[in-house]
Each structure stands twice: as structure tokens, then as C-alpha cells.
Amino acid sequence: MRRSALAAPLVLPLVMLASACGTEESEGNNGPDPSPSPAAGWEAREASHGAALPRLVVSAADSGAVHVIDVASGETAGSVEATGPALLSAASPSGGQVFLVQTGDDTVQLLDAGIRYTAHGDHADPDHVEPALVEGAIEVPEPSHALVHGDHAAVFADGDGSVSLVHVGDEAPDELAAEATTPSGTAHQGVAIPLGHDIVASRADSSGEVTGVQVLTEDGDVEAEFDDCPDLRGAFAPDSETALFGCSDGVLKVHSHDGTWEATKIDAPEGGGEDARVTMLAGAPGAEQVLGSYSDGQVAVIDTAAEEISPLDLPADFVTLAWDPFWEQGLVLTSDGSLHAVDPANGEITHSTRATGEVGDATEDGGRAAVVAGENYAYVVNPTTRELAEVSVGGDGLALERAMTLDFTPRDLAIVGLAELGGHEEHEHTHEEGHDHSSDSGEGHDHAHEEEHDHAH
């Protein structure tokens, strides 16, 4: 795997580096007890020639400020000012475009994080530039999500239920604009995923209560409707013909078979309690087992082939999760600040480490915790402590490597500029090949989608 760094870091106004301390890593199944790991500082790390040099994008909770940080050095590559506080959605982890979804300001903007590479013989050398906002914006009432699949992103607007489709290319466009805007019926807190030439979106009744899912054409024609998903929250597309949605009573699997859309309900197990339900979903492209949030102290392993949901106990309350496509595992953050690696195929926690201090409820200004995966590392932001932490990820465990304290409360986190999965060297651990690692699939790379309206997203 590639490891990367820049020259020695500068002293920055954006962050205050934390004092260096050692870390400890512990592992176990369903009950690891990770030792506390104070912040480790953010020393620069050398990069091999031609290695990818990714950047982290962190938005502020109390303003439109969006900061871009070079991962290797910890230096701020640049900052931009969006219209308002933004949720982040990377168009592609290997690219440099990030959607800035600003629900309270009725707008979506696009950040060009400045990722550039120049071909040099048999490799490409980083030639990054200063980040900048792309001209233009998608102005719709209360945009809540921008979900990317394949070469399109679907922006859902809660204020009128419309879906705006945006083409996602290798390079940032000269101007951000929607290719098409499709109505979904009525205003509601919803979500949409572009699949091929269709859009799979939530549907609601006349009162705005979400009842299920509908498949739409770009012109707004309804191809299919499925009502068996009350109180829909959370969505994930494991492939170009399948979408999964979290329901109050299980998970709805919507699948295209020989041109006909079908739906299968995966019922939640009995005895889960009033609050036990799936609201977040994450997994590998093509995988039959995916992860979902479930209850305060559990995640759900969802077997889409066997049509079963199996709760997995956590050692502390659940906060958020992400999928790590590089090591093919889930990454789950719990309220004690620990990060856990979860193998959905075996339904067990394989490794754990303390990544940050305790994670409290969402801050009053909208700050939230987030996790993203980046090759040999995972990154965590904690709004309670304002920490940004780097955790090394490998076959032998997790370990806190570096950390910094931000001088603002983070709203969201994204990573860009990663090497494409298909171009990676073999991992040190063995794993089955055959997953779709093509660069045109954006699902599974970023932090999982969760409904912003009801959770500390």
C-alpha cells in the first residue's frame, strides 16, 4: 500500500497540533476494551516517488467555511467560504470534487479540492493546486443529500421533493448545473440514488409521510412503486441494479431483474426494542453482507442473499459508520471515541482502538462526528472535542497515528485524491477478489448516508 507525506508542516491558524503521546491497540470480538490513546500530534510523513497525496476536506458547523488539509503534512492547502454550513459528499475519492450540501441555505455548491497529477513515465506525479469553488450552484429548497453512483449524483430537495441529476466527471466542470430536475411527488424528508438511466427515490403521501420507494425516469415518469418501507431513512447502492433502504421495520431491497423492478423486504428481528431500526447503510460494491446502524449499542449485519438482519453488540453506544473499501471492512465509531473494524461476512468486531475523546450528542451548531477511509488509514472528526484523528488500518489491527485539534467545530468530513482501488498493490492480508473495484463506482467509499433530520449526521 502507498503511504504519503509532504515536507515539514507550517504553523497554521486553522489547527493547533496536539502534544505527542503513545497509543495502544486492542482487539476482540463483540467486546473490545480499547485503552485510552491521547492525541498523537501530526508529524509529516515521507512519500514514495509518484505516490498519491490525498487531501481531507472539513466543513465548519457554524459558518460556510470549508478547509482543505494535505493529509501528509497537516498543512492547510486552502479554505473557501460556502454560502452556509455544508454537508460533504465526494464525487469520487480518487478525484478532487466535493459537493457542499447546504440545507439551511437552499443551495448546493461544488468544491474543486485542487487534486492534480501530471503524467511522468509509468506513473503520475502530484501537482496539486489551491482549492476553489466551482462557478454556479444548484438552488433548490432544503437540499438534504447528494448521493453519487456511477457517473451521476442525485441531489434530493426536501422542500419540494425534487431530484436534481448532476453528471460527475474526472475533472471539475467550468460551472455546476443540473442535467435534469425530476419531481418525486410531494415535499418530504427523503433521498434518491441514480441507477443507470433511472432514479430510485423515496415516496411520500400527500401529508409528507414517507411510505416507500419509487423508480423514476429522468422525465419524472413512474416505472415502479413499492410501499413497504415506512419511515424510510438511509440508502445504499451495492451495484448498478440494486438499492437498499432502511425502514422502521427492516430493510427494503429494490432490484432490477431483466428490466423489471422488484422489491424484497428484509424484516427486522423480533425483540429488538422500540428504537432498534436501520438508519445508515454501508458496504462493498457487489457484497451480499452490508452493515447498518441499528440501536444505541448495536450495528446490524444485513445479509441480502439470506434476507436476514443480525444485530452485533458494541462495547459502547453507536455514533456513526463508514465502509473501508481498501481493507473490505466496516469502520464503526462509538461514543467512547473508539474506532472498531467490523467484518460483515463473519459478523464480528476484529480490531478496536481509541481514536478520540468521548463523542457527545450533536452540538448546538450542527457539528457531528464522521469517519472516512483512506488507503492504509481512516480519519475521524469529533465535534465534542474538535479532534481530527488519523488511525492506521491493516491486517494486524488499528492504531492511532496522528491527531490535531481544530479551532472550529467540524460539520462534516470527506477525503479526495486517493489512488484508485484497481491500481493498488496487494494488501498484506488475504481476501477474496472479484469485488467491483472499477473507478466509475462511487458508492461505499465515503462515510455512510444517514438522515440528517433525525440524527447527529
Side-chain angles (χ1 to χ4, degrees), residues 15 41 50 79 84 119 170 214 226-227 235 238 272 302 317 334 337 377 383 423-424 454:
V15 295
S79 301
D170 293 333
Q214 58 189 328
F226 307 103
D227 277 332
I302 303 157
D317 284 350
T334 50
Y377 302 95
H424 281 294
D454 302 291

Side-chain angles (χ1 to χ4, degrees), residues 83-88 99-109 137-147 154-164 166 176 188-192 411 449-453 457:
T83 304
L87 294 174
L88 307 176
F99 288 98
L100 312 179
V101 182
Q102 300 152 72
T103 305
D105 293 277
D106 297 338
T107 190
V108 176
Q109 293 172 279
I138 297 173
E139 297 181 351
V140 290
E142 300 178 38
S144 55
H145 310 101
L147 295 191
V155 175
F156 192 90
D158 289 355
D160 63 3
S162 65
V163 182
S164 299
V166 182
L176 175 63
H188 65 279
Q189 296 176 354
V191 65
R411 170 71 165 149
H449 159 71
E450 179 183 13
E451 290 300 308
E452 167 66 15
H453 318 283
H457 184 165

Side-chain angles (χ1 to χ4, degrees), residues 87-88 101 103 142-147 154-159 161 187-193 200-204 208-213 229-236 244-248 250 277-282 292-294 318-321 362 366-369 411-412 447-457:
L87 294 174
L88 307 176
V101 182
T103 305
E142 300 178 38
S144 55
H145 310 101
L147 295 191
V155 175
F156 192 90
D158 289 355
H188 65 279
Q189 296 176 354
V191 65
I193 302 178
V200 186
S202 55
R203 66 186 304 266
E209 181 180 351
V210 180
T211 59
V213 171
C229 190
D231 196 22
L232 182 153
R233 303 180 200 169
F236 170 66
L244 304 174
F245 297 90
C247 317
S248 62
R277 59 152 302 158
V278 174
T279 59
M280 301 179 71
L281 292 158
S293 58
Y294 196 63
F318 171 87
V319 175
T320 190
L321 64 84
R368 65 168 198 159
R411 170 71 165 149
D412 206 357
H447 57 268
H449 159 71
E450 179 183 13
E451 290 300 308
E452 167 66 15
H453 318 283
D454 302 291
H455 302 275
H457 184 165

